[in-house]
Amino acid sequence: MKVLILGGVAAGTKAAAKFKREDRSADVTILTKDKDISYAGCGLPYYVGGLIESREELIVNTPEKYTALTGVKVITGMEATALHAEKKTVTVRKQDDGEVQELAYDKLIIATGASPVLPPIEGIEQEGIFSVRTPEDAIRIRSFVSDGGVKRAVVVGGGFIGLEMAENLKAQGVSVTVIDAAGQLLPEIFDPEMAGYIKKHLTQKGIRVLINTKALRFAGSGRVTGVQTEGMLLPCEMTIMAVGIRPNTAFLQGSGVELEQGKVLVDQQLRTNLEDVYAVGDCAMVTNRITGKRQWSPMGSSANLEGRTLAQVLAGKEKRYPGVLGTGIVKLPELNCGRTGLTEAQAQAAGYDVVTALMVTDDKAHYYPDSSNFIIKLLADRASHKLLGAQVLGTGSVDKLIDMAVTGIQLNARLEDYENGDFAYAPPFSTAIHPFVQAVYVLLNKLSGELVSMTPKEYLDGKAADYTVIDVNPSPSIRGARYINLTEVNGPIDGIGKDEKLLLVCRRGKRAYLLQNRLRYFGYTNTAVLEGATYFSDVRVKNAQAAVSPEEITRVKALGFLWDKNSPDRFNGRVITRNGKITADESAAIAEAAQRFGNGEITMTTRMTLEIQGVPFENIEPLQEFLAQAGLQTGGTGSKVRPVVSCKGTTCQYGLIDTFALSEAIHERFYLGYRDVKLPHKFKIAVGGCPNNCVKPDLNDLGIVGQRVPEVDMEKCRGCKVCQIEKVCPVHAASVQDKKIVIQPEVCNHCGRCIGKCPFKAFVNYTNGYRIYIGGRWGKKVARGQYLGKVFTNESEVLDVVEKAILLFREQGITGERFADTVARLGFENVQEQLLGNGLLERKAENIAAQKHLKGGATC
């Protein structure tokens, strides 16, 4: 039998290898357009991020190695251009010389995969715009990041690949913005409220996310400089296009193969409508296991399963491919997100009376080190209790829970089948009652009426508008809510009617459920527990007049909102301006935000951030969301690197260096890049363009001052009686001695005023550079910084010293002390020696990973 396979990545190579094992006598040939076969496409983002170090690790098999292992012939660099089913031939063209030939087959397998969609957007052909599909794509991206000075990237598309690329670009120190035209991340993959939690988490981890945002144009002249949307221009040096993929099936037009939007339709034996023609992988449209309806699921896992099953079918075995569940998982910064089965909308569209439950549970024994939480959403059919889907978020083994759901769905399990599941337990791995089983219990209690609850989706949709919010936390935590101490409820509660609508809310849901049980016993008939509680949802009480709790004041301070002590619930929100410079559009957005969410007033802080004044507590998150749509963010508080301050630099008559460019680089690399790095105290940086020191760099933890070091040509010095250099020097470092100009190096501040002032051209040449001050401080205890004994002439060297200073402060500082105190304690000479050496950078990974300064010393 002569089997011809078009495509050699996952499905094609799996089908070929398995069939060759089934029938060693078969003549099996793979044709592939690429030079690589069987590469790890799903691993490409992790090569970009550096977790996978070499290209070779991405290549599962080379053609030579694969042929030796399997006996399958592989021909690379050859593309199929037409199928002639009536003749059982395929027309192919060589990539290198264009030679065309026809190849015959007995059985044909179409496994041509899919390619990234590149929409016809103006400017998309420019350098710096990438898609992610092959190892060569990943190699080009990683090289571009390391060689091209990439500080900012925009990822267009909020699906699996887009978010994985965002995480891995961030790991390389790139500031990332993700935009998606849809109203949520991961549409049709996660339910909206789960996607909303993911979006909030990414924002907290330093990845800006803009939904309902479409790329309209790519700015730049040959190399991308920004992405234009309806509301703003997003500056960037790189763009990743991850808006989706399209099946590689154009060559099948007119062949008679049945297609649906380019996907090849197949039955359960992966046969097309043409005799002896089959299709597998990303180019094939299979079915959904639950609904039986057509579903496209371009995943590496299903491609391999389809390839293996088809090989068995070709070998004459009674095998069928039952379809897909759309199972998927994605790793994000400190959050794993998995799903399988139907979403809530998909289940409703399929005709199910769907019931859901969302709960927060421990991911292992709560007392075990590094224990965390799972957020689990289960979906089931109300009548049959059949499990329909699962979505899980958490820092731990999310895949384990998803795989439990997959197994159950494939076996047509009811919720009751999980009820007493004897799953593995030990404190390092799980809880005594497995987290998945706990979620099943919640859903069963909801179905039986033992639990009456409100889902996060219902809460977001306003169902709680006429409910009284009851705070069931161990201590009052929800501003404006009626607090009830669970342990003291032993009868009816004064002031609350038994038919009053009560929304019971705690941290994760358990205490609220226990209170509901007690209240039911005492005759209360209209209570609902908020699923996921405050761990998942932002609970707000309308028109709350109560003071904001100390815990909430601390929480929002980390977001850049400082409490106005003259009010019970008003805050001033700091808007980061990236060195005090903003665009007219950004200024307009800030002004509109102040009117909408604050009291209409804006103030400038001494750190050149803008503060929107008088923001009510309940307006904090809406204000942040509004500003994010304009490309702005709040922050600038806490024990970490603070936003950099800059003077006007070269736009000033005395400016020697481009302080805006340097401070922008510092902002991207250290304020954004180090936003999750905890320090002993705040770390302030200022950049001055000249020794006039308008922004007081020497009174910051680290200051950078522009320098212009004169290169004196003594042969041209005439020793004039009235020396113009001596006359113009503002610090009196220059004087004529023995008929020659003398510059006192310990006095000269390299202001550059002398350059060009000598009529005999003794002061023409100069070197621009930077002087770095460390250990300055302003406030209760003033400390003037000392400068390092070197004038730096290279900006990258300056940035390295800044990074080493931050690392030294984190590694050797004592929690609560300022950098000035660290320098004084260690000794200036010791610190200088470390900042000029390489040891701190060599220890960087270990330093950053250490659990240190978890509660720093900054109070503002």
Side-chain angles (χ1 to χ4, degrees):
M1 181 188 296
K2 181 180 289 186
V3 178
L4 182 62
I5 300 174
L6 307 180
V9 181
T13 53
K14 176 58 71 174
K18 177 62 176 173
F19 183 62
K20 193 68 174 177
R21 291 196 297 272
E22 295 282 343
D23 183 357
R24 193 68 188 170
S25 68
D27 178 0
V28 183
T29 302
I30 291 176
L31 297 183
T32 177
K33 179 180 176 181
D34 300 322
K35 66 178 183 180
D36 294 314
I37 68 163
S38 195
Y39 56 79
C42 298
L44 301 182
Y46 304 102
Y47 175 82
V48 172
L51 288 173
I52 298 173
E53 295 185 1
S54 68
R55 179 188 186 279
E56 288 68 32
E57 293 177 82
L58 294 172
I59 308 301
V60 179
N61 272 309
T62 64
E64 298 76 17
K65 179 181 174 183
Y66 179 82
T67 297
L69 287 170
T70 65
V72 174
K73 183 180 180 182
V74 178
I75 304 175
T76 61
M78 190 168 286
E79 180 182 10
T81 59
L83 165 62
H84 314 287
E86 71 285 355
K87 298 190 298 181
K88 286 198 170 184
T89 64
V90 176
T91 300
V92 297
R93 180 178 61 239
K94 288 185 178 180
Q95 294 286 96
D96 53 1
D97 59 12
E99 179 188 342
V100 175
Q101 55 184 285
E102 282 198 13
L103 299 179
Y105 65 82
D106 296 318
K107 304 285 185 181
L108 177 68
I109 299 174
I110 302 168
T112 46
S115 296
V117 173
L118 293 176
I121 301 174
E122 180 186 346
I124 198 169
E125 74 288 344
Q126 297 184 88
E127 185 184 3
I129 301 176
F130 299 90
S131 56
V132 189
R133 193 62 180 172
T134 69
E136 296 308 315
D137 294 331
I139 290 166
R140 283 193 295 268
I141 293 170
R142 192 160 99 175
S143 176
F144 193 83
V145 170
S146 59
D147 300 340
V150 176
K151 301 174 184 176
R152 298 161 296 190
V154 175
V155 176
V156 183
F160 282 146
I161 291 295
L163 297 185
E164 287 171 345
M165 286 301 300
E167 181 200 22
N168 283 282
L169 287 172
K170 182 178 183 296
Q172 293 283 41
V174 178
S175 176
V176 183
T177 299
V178 177
I179 67 173
D180 198 295
Q184 67 166 80
L185 293 175
L186 301 160
E188 299 183 20
I189 298 173
F190 283 90
D191 285 321
E193 73 277 17
M194 299 292 276
Y197 184 92
I198 294 169
K199 177 179 179 291
K200 181 170 67 174
H201 176 85
L202 288 173
T203 301
Q204 291 170 346
K205 296 304 174 184
I207 295 176
R208 184 167 45 158
V209 178
L210 305 177
I211 55 176
N212 295 308
T213 302
K214 187 176 182 180
L216 302 178
R217 181 178 66 85
F218 295 106
S221 299
R223 179 165 175 160
V224 68
T225 58
V227 179
Q228 182 67 56
T229 70
E230 287 185 357
M232 72 193 106
L233 177 69
L234 299 170
C236 65
E237 293 79 39
M238 167 187 277
T239 301
I240 303 294
M241 295 299 297
V243 296
I245 57 175
R246 180 182 293 116
N248 296 324
T249 56
F251 74 100
L252 294 174
Q253 295 296 328
S255 68
V257 171
E258 189 177 1
L259 302 172
E260 182 176 309
Q261 295 181 328
K263 298 117 185 170
V264 183
L265 300 184
V266 296
D267 63 13
Q268 285 198 321
Q269 290 191 306
L270 301 158
R271 297 176 299 196
T272 71
N273 61 307
L274 299 181
E275 186 177 359
D276 295 326
V277 179
Y278 304 81
V280 286
D282 291 356
C283 64
M285 174 84 86
V286 292
T287 57
N288 182 282
R289 291 194 189 204
I290 300 174
T291 67
K293 295 180 180 178
R294 296 284 188 185
Q295 180 166 323
W296 189 40
S297 185
M299 300 289 286
S301 52
S302 52
N304 274 279
L305 296 172
E306 291 164 25
R308 185 179 190 277
T309 301
L310 176 55
Q312 294 173 304
V313 169
L314 293 179
K317 294 183 177 179
E318 285 298 319
K319 292 288 183 177
R320 293 182 179 275
Y321 184 70
V324 295
L325 292 174
T327 306
I329 191 166
V330 61
K331 176 183 176 295
L332 302 177
E334 299 179 42
L335 187 71
N336 303 321
C337 312
R339 59 92 61 211
T340 193
L342 304 177
T343 65
E344 195 168 345
Q346 290 164 350
Q348 291 168 347
Y352 289 103
D353 182 7
V354 64
V355 60
T356 73
L358 185 148
M359 76 163 298
V360 179
T361 180
D362 297 320
D363 65 353
K364 55 178 72 73
H366 68 274
Y367 52 80
Y368 192 81
D370 296 327
S371 65
S372 186
N373 299 285
F374 286 132
I375 298 169
I376 307 171
K377 179 175 181 177
L378 298 183
L379 301 87
D381 176 56
R382 189 181 300 275
S384 66
H385 294 194
K386 175 183 174 181
L387 182 65
L388 299 176
Q391 299 168 36
V392 185
L393 312 177
T395 59
S397 300
V398 163
D399 58 317
K400 182 166 67 172
L401 276 69
I402 292 300
D403 290 343
M404 292 172 66
V406 168
T407 302
I409 294 172
Q410 291 184 171
L411 297 176
N412 208 30
R414 300 171 69 246
L415 295 174
E416 287 80 359
D417 294 323
Y418 285 100
E419 199 167 0
N420 290 300
D422 189 11
F423 298 110
Y425 163 66
F429 302 103
S430 183
T431 51
I433 296 178
H434 195 280
F436 193 90
V437 176
Q438 292 184 48
V440 167
Y441 287 167
V442 171
L443 190 45
L444 284 171
N445 284 344
K446 190 172 178 177
L447 284 163
S448 69
E450 292 179 47
L451 166 69
V452 178
S453 64
M454 185 181 295
T455 69
K457 181 180 183 299
E458 291 171 331
Y459 181 77
L460 285 170
D461 290 343
K463 186 176 179 180
D466 56 348
Y467 279 70
T468 298
V469 178
I470 303 296
D471 184 349
V472 200
N473 285 288
S475 59
S477 302
I478 304 173
R479 178 173 168 268
R482 170 77 183 267
Y483 175 69
I484 299 295
N485 187 332
L486 169 66
T487 61
E488 296 177 357
V489 176
N490 295 304
I493 302 171
D494 292 341
I496 298 180
K498 292 188 177 181
D499 59 350
E500 187 175 344
K501 289 184 174 181
L502 306 177
L503 183 64
L504 312 180
V505 186
C506 59
R507 175 60 177 159
R508 301 199 309 181
K510 182 177 179 180
R511 292 175 66 89
Y513 169 60
L514 294 176
L515 178 60
Q516 182 179 70
N517 183 268
R518 289 195 191 191
L519 292 178
R520 181 183 285 122
Y521 177 76
F522 294 120
Y524 289 83
T525 59
N526 216 345
T527 66
V529 173
L530 180 61
E531 296 174 19
T534 59
Y535 187 97
F536 187 84
S537 300
D538 295 321
V539 177
R540 297 285 180 264
V541 177
K542 266 191 175 182
N543 304 316
Q545 300 298 316
V548 180
S549 70
E551 293 78 14
E552 284 291 86
I553 288 175
T554 299
R555 181 182 71 83
V556 299
K557 184 173 76 172
L559 304 176
F561 290 84
L562 304 180
W563 177 48
D564 179 349
K565 66 180 182 182
N566 296 314
S567 73
D569 67 342
R570 303 282 164 153
F571 292 79
N572 301 325
R574 290 185 176 177
V575 185
I576 305 305
T577 61
R578 303 182 309 276
N579 60 23
K581 185 179 183 181
I582 58 175
T583 66
D585 287 343
E586 289 171 335
S587 179
I590 294 169
E592 184 177 352
Q595 290 288 352
R596 280 202 201 183
F597 305 103
N599 63 10
E601 296 180 351
I602 301 169
T603 61
M604 175 73 79
T605 73
T606 57
R607 298 297 299 175
M608 293 192 181
T609 57
L610 292 173
E611 276 194 356
I612 295 176
Q613 302 289 291
V615 180
F617 179 73
E618 60 269 17
N619 282 358
I620 287 177
E621 274 76 19
L623 170 59
Q624 282 190 296
E625 184 70 23
F626 179 84
L627 291 173
Q629 296 301 318
L632 295 162
Q633 60 183 160
T634 62
T637 56
S639 296
K640 49 191 175 183
V641 177
R642 294 293 182 86
V644 63
V645 172
S646 170
C647 75
K648 295 186 293 182
T650 51
T651 66
C652 168
Q653 62 176 322
Y654 300 119
L656 306 176
I657 61 171
D658 186 349
T659 56
F660 286 137
L662 179 58
S663 58
E664 182 86 6
I666 294 172
H667 175 85
E668 299 287 345
R669 183 166 164 181
F670 303 117
Y671 176 69
L672 295 178
Y674 272 65
R675 64 182 301 150
D676 298 324
V677 177
K678 299 181 184 300
L679 301 176
H681 213 292
K682 56 193 168 190
F683 191 88
K684 295 181 176 181
I685 303 171
V687 181
C690 75
N692 281 344
N693 290 352
C694 296
V695 292
K696 310 295 186 292
D698 58 340
L699 293 177
N700 282 258
D701 298 282
L702 186 142
I704 301 168
V705 178
Q707 306 282 290
R708 182 158 290 168
V709 184
E711 298 173 5
V712 186
D713 188 343
M714 297 303 295
E715 292 185 2
K716 294 180 179 179
C717 175
R718 303 289 181 85
C720 303
K721 182 179 288 188
V722 179
C723 174
Q724 295 302 315
I725 302 302
E726 184 176 7
K727 187 176 179 181
V728 79
C729 181
V731 294
H732 308 297
S735 61
V736 177
Q737 299 177 20
D738 297 329
K739 296 185 178 182
K740 286 291 181 183
I741 189 72
V742 174
I743 306 295
Q744 301 178 61
E746 70 279 3
V747 178
C748 179
N749 63 5
H750 305 148
C751 68
R753 306 276 183 89
C754 58
I755 303 301
K757 297 298 190 296
C758 174
F760 302 103
K761 302 189 183 326
F763 282 71
V764 174
N765 297 322
Y766 59 88
T767 300
N768 276 342
Y770 312 83
R771 179 166 273 170
I772 299 178
Y773 290 78
I774 61 170
R777 178 177 59 201
W778 188 255
K780 297 174 185 176
K781 293 172 63 179
V782 177
R784 190 168 294 277
Q786 301 180 68
Y787 59 80
L788 303 180
K790 174 182 178 179
V791 174
F792 298 87
T793 57
N794 184 292
E795 182 179 304
S796 64
E797 192 177 13
V798 171
L799 293 173
D800 283 346
V801 171
V802 175
E803 183 163 28
K804 285 185 274 190
I806 297 168
L807 292 171
L808 183 143
F809 190 33
R810 174 174 169 78
E811 180 183 79
Q812 300 168 37
I814 298 171
T815 301
E817 74 176 3
R818 289 294 299 272
F819 189 49
D821 302 321
T822 303
V823 173
R825 178 169 52 78
L826 298 177
F828 176 80
E829 295 301 328
N830 176 2
V831 172
Q832 176 172 242
E833 182 180 355
Q834 292 191 65
L835 297 185
L836 297 180
N838 293 318
L840 288 160
L841 291 178
E842 292 169 358
R843 300 191 300 275
K844 176 180 174 179
E846 177 185 354
N847 188 353
I848 295 297
Q851 293 293 302
K852 302 182 67 173
H853 315 302
L854 300 183
K855 187 172 178 60
T859 57
C860 64

